[in-house]
Amino acid sequence: MDIINQLVASGTFRVAKEPLCFLRLLEWIFAIFAFATCGGYSGALKVSVDCANKSDSNLNIEIGFSYPFRLHQVYFDAPTCEEKKQERLFLAGDYSSSAEFFVTIAVFAFLYSLAATVVYIFFQNKYRENNRGPLVDFIVTVVFSFLWLVGSSAWAKGLSDVKFATDPDEVLLLMSACKLQGNKCLPVRDPAMSGLNTSVVFGFLNFILWAGNIWFVFKETGWHASGPRHSQSTMEKQPAPTGFNQPYSQGSSDQESFGQTAGYNQQPGYGQQPGFGQQASYGQIGGYSQGGYNQQPPPTSFTNQM
């Protein structure tokens, strides 16, 4: 208890609230439901054969089957409606490969999710050391995503074949007594397939969880960290367009040429106004002219009159 209290106080279990660890916990739980609903399944169907000779009839023929669905090994005895004779029949099909592949993926996904969750919580520093942990985690996550997709699709197809092979109407076609006139063969009970349907749903849910977790695992790798830095360095090294500053430089040159046009300091009489010649010349402000107003000599005629 002291160790657990220390871990809680140090904030170790805060990692479980992060998306990466939280999705791993969901994968762990969903993997349990996936292999439990498929690997622990057992069902039965029931048919009846009512012979013309009532003493040969069997109204309660129950046929049971279970995982891994090697139906070709499942047999039952059915009346032939001929002198109380019976025949041994077998169901058709072997669907163990898709079922066992699905359960195997679920078991290994359960083990890996549990191990990854323990590493996230208790060995976070070792996980991120040298970037090896995130890289391995990323590769395994991609592989399991692909396996869940393939396994769930294969088991969905296998389940549809199991439903067809265990359909009571199809089983009755195997009996020779049902091919004779005067005998009545009827289905009594269909096998319950809700658990197997649930296993397929959990299979595709696991695929969605693992595929969605790829992004969060990728963010822990060095590939995600080096991507923004590489794009930023590329933008810094890219030269600026050569013509970007041309309008500004052209505008300054236009201002300089505008200041050199004649007519601003050549009007007569402005330099003779009292006190106005002491003001700063327009040529000193913004470069509109190169000469001041007080630099022009007064007219000779006006001086002679004075």
Side-chain angles (χ1 to χ4, degrees), residues 52-285:
N53 185 4
K54 300 299 182 181
S55 60
D56 295 337
S57 300
N58 188 350
L59 304 179
N60 190 16
I61 302 176
E62 186 172 354
I63 307 170
F65 60 96
S66 61
Y67 173 84
F69 308 104
R70 294 187 176 94
L71 300 182
H72 66 287
Q73 297 179 357
V74 178
Y75 62 89
F76 60 95
D77 295 329
T80 59
C81 297
E82 293 178 355
E83 299 178 357
K84 297 183 179 180
K85 293 182 180 180
Q86 291 188 344
E87 59 180 351
R88 176 158 292 184
L89 301 173
F90 291 83
L91 296 180
D94 181 8
Y95 311 103
S96 60
S97 58
S98 59
E100 290 177 342
F101 181 62
F102 179 81
V103 172
T104 302
I105 295 173
V107 171
F108 280 103
F110 161 77
L111 295 175
Y112 181 80
S113 299
L114 179 61
T117 304
V118 172
V119 171
Y120 294 158
I121 296 176
F122 299 103
F123 304 100
Q124 186 66 226
N125 295 330
K126 293 291 184 181
Y127 171 75
R128 296 181 177 178
E129 185 178 356
N130 296 328
N131 202 31
R132 293 179 181 178
L135 289 178
V136 174
D137 195 15
F138 175 75
I139 295 173
V140 174
T141 303
V142 173
V143 171
F144 267 109
S145 300
F146 176 75
L147 291 177
W148 272 118
L149 178 61
V150 175
S152 300
S153 301
W155 172 230
K157 176 61 170 63
L159 177 58
S160 64
D161 295 336
V162 170
K163 291 179 178 180
F164 179 79
T166 57
D167 187 1
D169 293 329
E170 296 295 329
V171 175
L172 290 175
L173 296 177
L174 301 175
M175 303 178 184
S176 59
C178 298
K179 299 177 182 178
L180 301 176
Q181 295 181 354
N183 301 327
K184 295 181 180 180
C185 300
L186 298 174
V188 178
R189 187 182 64 194
D190 294 336
M193 293 292 183
S194 59
L196 296 180
N197 294 331
T198 305
S199 67
V200 174
V201 173
F202 277 114
F204 284 105
L205 287 177
N206 274 284
F207 162 70
I208 294 174
L209 286 175
W210 284 84
N213 207 12
I214 292 177
W215 167 247
F216 297 102
V217 180
F218 177 74
K219 290 174 64 177
E220 299 292 331
T221 62
W223 298 335
H224 178 265
S226 61
R229 289 199 300 265
H230 178 71
S231 60
Q232 184 177 2
S233 61
T234 305
M235 293 177 63
E236 290 177 355
K237 293 179 180 179
Q238 184 177 3
T242 55
F244 183 75
N245 293 328
Q246 289 180 357
Y248 180 79
S249 60
Q250 183 178 0
S252 61
S253 62
D254 292 342
Q255 292 180 359
E256 293 176 0
S257 61
F258 181 74
Q260 295 175 2
T261 56
Y264 280 91
N265 55 351
Q266 296 178 2
Q267 295 180 4
Y270 282 95
Q272 299 172 2
Q273 297 181 4
F276 191 74
Q278 297 178 358
Q279 296 181 357
S281 61
Y282 280 91
Q284 297 176 357
I285 302 176

